Amino acid sequence: MSNALRTLSKRLPSLASTAMLLLLAGLATACDEAHPRDAYAHPAADASEISAWFYNMYMVLDTIIFVGVLAAFFIALIKYRKKPGDNTLPEQSFGDPRLEIAWTIVPTLVVLGITVPTLGGLFELAKRPDQNQKIIDIEVTGKQWWWELDYKKEHINTGNEMHVEVGTQVMLHLTSADVIHAWWVPRLSGKRDATPGRSYPLNFRPKEVGSFDGQCAELCGASHALMGIRIIVHPKDGPDSYENWVKHTQEIAAKPTTPAAEAGQKVFMGKGCVACHSISGVSELAVGARSRTSGPNLTHVGSRDYIAAHTLKNTPENIATWVKNPQAVKPGALMTNLGLTDQEAKDVAAFLTSLK
Amino acid sequence: MSAHADTLTHDSHEAHGHGALSENNFLGLPNIKLAMWAFLGSECMFFGSLIGTYFFYHGNSLSGPLPKDVFSIGITSISTFLLLMSSVTMALGVDAMRQQKPMKARTFILLTAALGACFVGFQVVEFHEFYTEKHLVFAGPNASLFGSTFYTMTGFHGTHVTVGVIWLLIMSVLITKKKLVPGKEAVNVEVMGLYWHFVDIVWIVIFTFVYLLEFLK
Amino acid sequence: MASIADFAAAQKPIYHQERPSKTGLMDWLTTVDHKKIGILYGGAGLFWLLIGGLEALLFRIQLAKPDQHIFIGDTYNGLVTMHATTMVFLAVMPMIAGFSNYFVPLMIGARDVAFPRMNAFSWWTFFAGSLTINASLLFCGAFPAAGWTGYAPLTTKEFSGMPIDFWWAGLTLLAVSSMVAGVNFVVTILNLRAPGMTLMRVPVLTWMMLVIQFLLAFSFPPVAVGLILLAFDRTFGTVFYSTGMGGDPHLWQHLFWLFGHPEVYVLILPSMGIVSEILPVFTRRPLFGHHAVIFSGVFIGFVGFGVWGHHMFTAGMGPIADAAFASTTAIVAIPTGVKIFNWIGTMYNSKMTFPTAMLFAISFIPMFTLGGLSGMMHASPPLDLQQHDTYFVVAHFHYVLVGGALQGLFAGFYFYMPKISGKMLNETLGKIHFWVFLIGFNVTFFPMHMLGNHGMPRRIYTYPADAGWNTENLLATGGVFLMAGATLLFVYNLITSLKNGKDAGSDPWDANTLEWMTSSPPPVHNFDFTPVVLSERPLWDHKYTPGMEIPVPEQAEEIHMPSPSWKPMWVSASAGLIIVGLLTFSGIAGIPGWPLCIVGALGVIFSVYAWVTEPV
């Protein structure tokens, strides 16, 4: 037994190298996976490009330093072993002042060298955008566990899925209604805390059309993991343009056309959903009403990609599951379980899906 | 805190009364004194954080009375004066102990304790007046940020004075019982003095920056 | 060549006061012996290391695949919170306290710490605190779940339940314990050094311990204030963290990180010290640039108080504050680099041997370097805005704290256990432990860099299958099992060595410093005579440099060792009562807790008086 162990322990260095190779192989397969949230390989806005530039700069610098340190380390490790039978002492040197000074000054210069661009990038990111251009101003309020998005100028109030325009400056004003959250959509910008009682700005200018996912990045309670974000960057022209989205979203909700949807509207109004959720044209007259207490404005919920803050795909079945027992989908969810029957849940789902 | 501070008094016996552990005394400074300096450094961070909190929140209160509405400089000046005087008597006590006059030292120590107790008394009266007449509330539904920070900061200072008073009383009992005698143990009184002067200085900072600065303009 | 066998011939010291030779439970409860307290700390640290590791294992199982439902919501958050709280406060810190208790007096040639009973008080207060934090599982059926950073207002009564009360109560006790220990050891190291041991002859490990004791004494008060304010908010209804009343959530973050960053250096500096002690022994050369290593450690300690804001780059402090903290943080790279270069410098022109202690010590160097280099990235706000609170940061601080701090402590165990128990650890098991742990550690944490780069935030209990995080998460979970296995093997090795280990003798490694001149385990009084120190390597010079032998006095020394005492435990228990009283202030099941505060306060006064008047 102990002999076997001893043999094993002799082989460990080679076993270890094999394991490391396996690790690298594993990571290589990982590279085959798509990485839709990689901020450094595919930045899609000016703010994230600045971060990506710093990442690449540091990767080069760190690789040089690490390879240098490793080389010095392994050369020493291989060259300066005690030979069997050699019992003489090595040279007793206490250090070399010239070396000491050199390897204090060199890191100092490196640190100075990277601090200058760092401060530059920092102030660049903090710059207030030019107010004479078109700016999409959005007030973002983090809530347990979803995001309220309020377009003041456009009179649009929505949740979780933010629509912006490519090439146009976006200015977010982040705040929170309860605990601290953090807004983070990696490919568009770095994160910024949404702090109760305070409002902090976050600016970026998207450069690519598409959908970009992110999520809350500050522990905010039981369902912190399920507080997703999607930003949809629209083209400037065409049927899918930002202007068209604004126009469509400013309209009041469509009237239900199917019997199921009509029944669903009755459930929505009668069972208490309306206590927290607004639907322009159904529960209120005004367009873009701010959400009541805790629930998102559902005026155009049918056109969203996801429900429950990026937790479930927006399908009638998922909506029915969600409204029947929210806590089973999202631990600690603040949406009340109204005890809907299967039929009621299906009707509500039909109604909400019809709100395109 | 009291546990912490008082342990210092006694462990000095271990360091000075007998042999062994005092053999190595590298800095030529008694252990107990060095410990008190380190402890006071720690206390600086403690009160620094409390006073820092007060200023971090200064002017943030959304409700309740403002500092200018509640402070009455006259009364607080008197209690400040008493506390300053107690530093004088403390210094005289330390000096008497050093001059091998334990009974004289005990008198000054008791006097210091009395002045300290007066200061605490004034604080109790002040808190009572602020609460009942000026409606400055510490906690609960009517609390304000100013109330919470003010009472916490000055309350912790008052607690330190109270601990000091208890410590002084224990010390005078020990002197009476001849368990604390001049000579090597005089350093215990000296260390108590360090603590007392520190608490005094903290109050000078609070009085100047919290009370007086409100009336600067 | 002078031999250390000479020391055995020295006159045995004469006790002024005979100690009753008790063993067993009573002795451990009342001990004021720094060596026994060190063992208590070390044992507790190992125990909590296993618990903290188990917590990590559980939540890694949840994360092995996307969309799993094993530990969800606040159960998961509780595991994460307690993993971090346990590892930082209940595992690594007590292990450090264990080494510092056991070896600081031995390394400086002292018979005990400056205040032995205060030392016992620190231990019992730590013990009470560690139980209090974990007691929430017993009384509430749940762990505190607001993260180890406990950001207000998530910790306020509005958003969290009773477990957070246990969290602040336990941490407050730990803060008191650490501050008292800090003061005690500052005095011990500065004042109890053996004759001739000038500051530049103090061993590097003791130096690092001195630095961290200052950090403990000066950095814990801010967080203590933060915790007290939280306790007042939750207990009395003050409004410190209530944003509705004008409170600012940044207050907690400032108070916490003003403690939190020095705390990080508290965790890493002792391991740097251990590496700096082990390298010279197994290279058989002096530490290269001994003074530079010491000064860089002191410098890191100082700078540690000026960098806390780099944890708040995303909080919105404004560009000026961000710029200031970015600059101070970058400076930390300089002394850290100096240390790494000096360790490698020590390896050159040497004749190295590689027992397990040495393996852990040298693997510290590349692993810590990797952690340091990723740390440099977050010092830069434009990049940190992306990396903050992601798995990249998780990878960073685990490279520093596991690859650095924990590997250093493992090295310390293999190196110092022979002194503590008198028995060698098994080298074969040790080497298996080392390699399996090293692989497991890298398999776990290296992929986390990628996870962070691919956009995975930390502290999320689940993730969608299409986010591109599947392979790395599975790898990381696999690695944890390797680490867990290796750690269990280590514990097995440690326990069996107590019985089956080879006898160590007083100086098994042919080492440099004073602790190796006394027997293993050392006698109660540590040294038969107080050594006179002539160089920074007193024992080495005694053995190898003619004319530098440590003189053995002809006269026996008269000594007095402090007696065992119950009083430290009484004071701790009374202080604990006050905290429990606050915790249950308004009552559980109709029984108000506030009278406990009064009982506790009276208990403190009474037991302190008993302490003061107790003959020693």
Side-chain angles (χ1 to χ4, degrees):
Chain A
M1 172 65 189
S2 73
N3 268 340
L5 276 181
R6 212 161 293 139
T7 329
L8 179 66
S9 85
K10 289 229 174 65
R11 288 211 183 143
L12 274 170
S14 56
L15 284 174
S17 334
T18 320
M20 290 295 176
L21 286 178
L22 282 175
L23 172 64
L24 287 178
L27 289 175
T29 38
C31 290
D32 282 350
E33 252 185 286
H35 298 298
R37 303 191 191 183
D38 190 332
Y40 309 126
H42 316 288
D46 57 349
S48 52
E49 275 177 356
I50 293 180
S51 303
W53 184 86
F54 274 95
Y55 179 77
N56 293 326
M57 188 268 285
Y58 271 104
M59 279 309 282
V60 172
L61 181 70
D62 282 2
T63 308
I64 294 171
I65 297 176
F66 191 56
V67 168
V69 168
L70 271 194
F73 176 77
F74 277 112
I75 289 172
L77 213 54
I78 291 163
K79 211 168 154 193
Y80 301 108
R81 292 158 172 264
K82 181 174 178 289
K83 313 269 177 315
D86 173 11
N87 286 325
T88 54
L89 292 179
E91 171 215 354
Q92 300 293 302
S93 150
F94 287 83
D96 180 344
R98 279 167 309 170
L99 263 181
E100 297 289 342
I101 291 169
W103 64 41
T104 311
I105 288 179
V106 171
T108 310
L109 293 178
V110 171
V111 162
L112 280 178
I114 56 176
T115 305
V116 173
T118 286
L119 299 187
L122 166 64
F123 284 104
E124 178 67 27
L125 279 174
K127 225 168 44 191
R128 235 179 114 72
D130 177 11
Q131 298 295 308
N132 295 322
Q133 58 179 334
K134 179 180 173 192
I135 294 182
I136 301 177
D137 249 305
I138 308 170
E139 197 168 290
V140 179
T141 311
K143 299 186 172 182
Q144 284 178 328
W145 289 275
W146 65 283
W147 301 92
E148 180 177 1
L149 311 172
D150 205 52
Y151 296 65
K152 278 251 156 55
K153 280 183 289 187
E154 291 84 358
H155 300 287
I156 293 173
N157 186 287
T158 177
N160 303 323
E161 290 178 14
M162 177 181 280
H163 294 255
V164 295
E165 186 177 48
V166 69
T168 303
Q169 182 70 42
V170 180
M171 198 168 174
L172 308 184
H173 307 273
L174 290 156
T175 186
S176 161
D178 35 55
V179 300
I180 301 176
H181 304 277
W183 176 271
W184 187 36
V185 180
R187 289 183 58 195
L188 294 179
S189 77
K191 55 188 80 59
R192 176 67 71 198
D193 286 3
T195 312
R198 297 282 183 277
S199 174
Y200 294 113
L202 180 65
N203 312 314
F204 60 92
R205 186 194 296 268
K207 293 190 167 178
E208 248 181 59
V209 173
S211 298
F212 302 93
D213 292 335
Q215 67 188 97
C216 174
E218 182 68 62
L219 181 63
C220 56
S223 277
H224 163 57
L226 302 176
M227 191 170 164
I229 305 166
R230 166 161 280 202
I231 297 185
I232 295 123
V233 180
H234 291 269
K236 279 203 190 290
D237 318 290
D240 194 29
S241 73
Y242 174 70
E243 289 305 328
N244 283 349
W245 175 81
V246 170
K247 277 198 200 103
H248 172 71
T249 311
Q250 282 170 336
E251 289 164 10
I252 57 167
K255 287 264 174 299
T257 49
T258 62
E262 269 175 34
Q265 181 172 355
K266 286 210 184 77
V267 174
F268 183 88
M269 297 301 288
K271 281 278 181 174
C273 308
V274 73
C276 297
H277 296 283
S278 313
I279 300 180
S280 310
V282 175
S283 69
E284 23 247 303
L285 301 174
V287 170
R290 298 217 48 153
S291 69
R292 302 168 183 197
T293 56
S294 50
N297 183 317
L298 299 177
T299 306
H300 294 280
V301 69
S303 58
R304 291 183 198 154
D305 296 338
Y306 290 88
I307 58 163
H310 215 296
T311 305
L312 298 171
K313 285 242 160 61
N314 192 357
T315 64
E317 297 75 40
N318 281 340
I319 295 182
T321 317
W322 167 239
V323 296
K324 255 190 77 71
N325 188 355
Q327 284 72 26
V329 176
K330 262 173 116 155
L334 299 176
M335 179 158 139
T336 319
N337 182 344
L338 296 169
L340 301 184
T341 62
D342 285 346
Q343 189 55 45
E344 284 170 335
K346 248 185 220 164
D347 291 344
V348 169
F351 169 58
L352 292 179
T353 313
S354 76
L355 299 175
K356 294 286 185 194
Chain B
M1 288 299 135
S2 80
H4 183 168
D6 281 39
T7 51
L8 299 174
T9 320
H10 187 62
D11 271 320
S12 72
H13 288 264
E14 288 164 4
H16 299 281
H18 311 285
L21 296 174
S22 67
E23 275 168 29
N24 304 348
N25 182 348
F26 211 94
L27 298 182
L29 193 68
N31 285 342
I32 176 83
K33 209 164 165 182
L34 196 56
M36 183 45 90
W37 281 113
F39 171 67
L40 293 184
S42 179
E43 287 278 78
C44 280
M45 294 299 288
F46 184 79
F47 278 106
S49 302
L50 281 173
I51 297 171
T53 299
Y54 179 85
F55 281 104
F56 192 77
Y57 275 167
H58 191 250
N60 276 21
S61 263
L62 298 182
S63 64
L66 295 173
K68 258 187 173 168
D69 305 333
V70 297
F71 291 157
S72 91
I73 295 297
I75 308 266
T76 316
S77 299
I78 297 174
S79 70
T80 305
F81 177 74
L82 290 178
L83 196 63
L84 284 179
M85 283 306 103
S86 76
S87 261
V88 176
T89 54
M90 188 71 232
L92 291 172
V94 170
D95 195 48
M97 200 67 176
R98 216 181 272 145
Q99 291 173 0
Q100 315 272 333
K101 292 175 185 157
M103 289 307 130
K104 190 174 163 198
R106 191 185 61 176
T107 313
F108 281 120
I109 285 173
L110 284 172
L111 207 54
T112 311
L115 286 167
C118 281
F119 175 83
V120 176
F122 265 97
Q123 193 171 37
V124 171
V125 171
E126 188 188 49
F127 278 16
H128 184 257
E129 186 196 314
F130 285 3
Y131 182 74
T132 53
E133 288 172 28
K134 312 228 166 114
H135 307 292
L136 183 65
V137 183
F138 168 61
N142 296 323
S144 71
L145 214 47
F146 169 52
S148 290
T149 47
F150 172 80
Y151 285 121
T152 304
M153 173 183 62
T154 50
F156 266 106
H157 179 265
T159 313
H160 274 71
V161 178
T162 312
V163 166
V165 169
I166 296 174
W167 185 358
L168 286 165
L169 292 177
I170 291 180
M171 204 162 250
S172 59
V173 170
L174 292 180
I175 293 178
T176 313
K177 285 185 166 179
K178 299 219 162 26
K179 282 188 177 168
L180 183 68
V181 292
K184 275 192 169 177
E185 287 176 9
V187 72
N188 290 335
V189 183
E190 206 179 316
V191 164
M192 166 72 224
L194 284 178
Y195 174 82
W196 194 259
H197 296 316
F198 170 80
V199 172
D200 208 356
I201 290 167
V202 170
W203 183 253
I204 292 172
V205 172
I206 293 178
F207 184 64
T208 312
F209 290 100
V210 174
Y211 286 77
L212 291 182
L213 272 192
E214 288 296 333
F215 296 89
L216 196 64
K217 280 167 283 202
Chain C
M1 188 172 95
S3 135
I4 59 169
D6 303 347
F7 299 137
Q11 298 284 329
K12 294 284 170 241
I14 301 158
Y15 278 97
H16 259 304
Q17 168 200 348
E18 209 49 59
R19 278 161 84 97
S21 58
K22 276 186 296 184
T23 46
L25 184 64
M26 292 299 263
D27 193 33
W28 287 100
L29 293 178
T30 60
T31 186
V32 293
D33 181 350
H34 72 97
K35 296 182 286 298
K36 284 191 172 151
I37 293 173
I39 291 170
L40 286 170
Y41 265 122
L46 276 176
F47 172 76
W48 289 116
L49 179 74
L50 296 181
I51 301 291
L54 178 68
E55 283 153 1
L57 197 69
L58 293 179
F59 69 67
R60 273 319 311 180
I61 291 173
Q62 159 69 19
L63 286 181
K65 289 177 165 184
D67 297 319
Q68 295 206 100
H69 284 84
I70 307 166
F71 302 105
I72 62 168
D74 269 346
T75 314
Y76 176 89
N77 293 347
L79 285 172
V80 172
T81 303
M82 284 311 291
H83 165 68
T85 307
T86 304
M87 286 306 195
V88 170
F89 294 103
L90 309 183
V92 175
M93 277 182 73
M95 283 197 265
I96 290 167
F99 280 115
S100 123
N101 261 286
Y102 204 102
F103 286 103
V104 160
L106 284 168
M107 286 184 135
I108 61 173
R111 300 211 186 280
D112 207 318
V113 296
F115 305 105
R117 288 183 299 173
M118 250 165 70
N119 202 19
F121 168 75
S122 290
W123 151 253
W124 287 114
T125 310
F126 161 80
F127 186 70
S130 67
L131 293 185
T132 308
I133 296 183
N134 284 279
S136 74
L137 189 63
L138 198 65
F139 290 100
C140 313
F143 276 141
W148 85 282
T149 49
Y151 272 20
L154 184 57
T155 45
T156 56
K157 224 168 182 165
E158 197 182 343
F159 301 107
S160 325
M162 188 87 176
I164 291 293
D165 287 314
F166 287 89
W167 184 76
W168 70 250
L171 282 190
T172 308
L173 287 170
L174 297 182
V176 171
S177 159
S178 294
M179 285 187 276
V180 173
V183 169
N184 197 350
F185 276 85
V186 164
V187 177
T188 304
I189 298 173
L190 288 180
N191 231 10
L192 298 197
R193 281 169 283 150
M197 184 175 273
T198 56
L199 280 175
M200 279 303 125
R201 290 180 188 164
V202 169
V204 180
L205 175 57
T206 307
W207 251 110
M208 295 305 112
M209 291 296 185
L210 177 63
V211 173
I212 71 157
Q213 305 305 339
F214 273 110
L215 295 185
L216 288 178
F218 295 160
S219 76
F220 261 99
V223 81
V225 167
L227 288 165
I228 288 167
L229 303 186
L230 178 66
F232 282 6
D233 266 13
R234 295 184 60 94
T235 309
F236 303 125
T238 51
V239 294
F240 292 106
Y241 300 122
S242 154
T243 44
M245 301 296 293
D248 188 340
H250 284 187
L251 174 68
W252 167 266
Q253 295 178 31
H254 282 297
L255 291 173
F256 182 83
W257 287 116
L258 183 50
F259 145 80
H261 204 82
E263 168 70 15
V264 176
Y265 297 144
V266 167
L267 301 178
I268 190 66
L269 285 174
S271 289
M272 291 179 162
I274 289 174
V275 170
S276 308
E277 289 302 322
I278 292 178
L279 276 180
V281 170
F282 297 113
T283 54
R284 306 193 56 70
R285 288 181 91 210
L287 184 63
F288 199 83
H290 172 255
H291 292 193
V293 173
I294 290 173
F295 285 130
S296 56
V298 176
F299 187 68
I300 289 175
F302 270 109
V303 179
F305 279 101
V307 301
W308 80 88
H310 68 220
H311 298 270
M312 297 169 64
F313 284 149
T314 67
M317 291 185 299
I320 305 292
D322 287 354
F325 284 115
S327 313
T328 50
T329 306
I331 292 174
V332 178
I334 302 167
T336 315
V338 168
K339 274 180 189 275
I340 290 168
F341 298 142
N342 275 305
W343 290 324
I344 295 179
T346 310
M347 292 163 69
Y348 271 76
N349 297 321
S350 70
K351 294 185 175 170
M352 276 184 273
T353 48
F354 298 99
T356 312
M358 179 67 165
L359 289 176
F360 273 112
I362 55 171
S363 88
F364 177 102
I365 298 170
M367 292 300 108
F368 179 78
T369 306
L370 205 56
L373 289 173
S374 56
M376 263 166 67
M377 292 188 173
H378 331 131
S380 173
L383 186 46
D384 184 64
L385 293 182
Q386 286 286 2
Q387 297 181 331
H388 180 81
D389 268 344
T390 66
Y391 265 86
F392 194 89
V393 173
V394 176
H396 156 70
F397 62 69
H398 281 95
Y399 265 87
V400 175
L401 292 182
V402 182
L406 191 59
Q407 284 211 92
L409 289 169
F410 279 145
F413 274 108
Y414 283 96
F415 189 65
Y416 287 116
M417 265 319 277
K419 178 55 65 182
I420 297 170
S421 67
K423 306 279 186 182
M424 307 295 284
L425 291 175
N426 183 315
E427 278 294 315
T428 307
L429 292 180
K431 282 183 179 147
I432 297 173
H433 167 210
F434 168 73
W435 286 105
V436 176
F437 190 84
L438 185 69
I439 297 164
F441 158 70
N442 279 291
V443 172
T444 306
F445 296 111
F446 198 80
M448 289 189 186
H449 290 111
M450 273 85 167
L451 283 176
N453 289 352
H454 298 156
M456 180 165 170
R458 66 196 278 209
R459 293 168 173 163
I460 56 171
Y461 78 79
T462 186
Y463 53 95
D466 60 1
W469 306 330
N470 304 347
T471 318
E472 291 99 331
N473 269 308
L474 191 61
L475 266 177
T477 303
V480 176
F481 281 93
L482 290 179
M483 289 167 78
T487 310
L488 287 177
L489 189 67
F490 163 66
V491 173
Y492 170 81
N493 189 358
L494 203 64
I495 292 170
T496 49
S497 79
L498 298 180
K499 212 175 144 201
N500 307 332
K502 272 185 285 185
D503 277 334
S506 61
D507 184 20
W509 310 115
D510 196 8
N512 300 339
T513 38
L514 291 179
E515 72 271 27
W516 303 102
M517 70 178 267
T518 186
S519 62
S520 309
V524 174
H525 53 271
N526 289 355
F527 300 97
D528 287 343
F529 61 93
T530 301
V532 174
V533 177
L534 300 172
S535 72
E536 63 180 49
R537 294 190 296 171
L539 195 62
W540 173 279
D541 284 327
H542 175 83
K543 290 180 287 193
Y544 292 102
T545 314
M548 295 278 274
E549 292 86 359
I550 296 172
V552 180
E554 286 169 14
Q555 289 255 306
E557 280 185 20
E558 296 181 19
I559 56 171
H560 169 92
M561 297 304 293
S563 316
S565 171
W566 285 101
K567 310 301 182 294
M569 197 208 269
W570 289 2
V571 181
S572 296
S574 311
L577 268 190
I578 298 180
I579 296 287
V580 173
L582 279 175
L583 208 164
T584 57
F585 199 79
S586 46
I588 288 180
I591 307 159
W594 60 264
L596 285 180
C597 293
I598 299 177
V599 175
L602 291 175
V604 168
I605 295 175
F606 169 76
S607 42
V608 165
Y609 187 81
W611 175 325
V612 173
T613 49
E614 180 182 50
V616 273

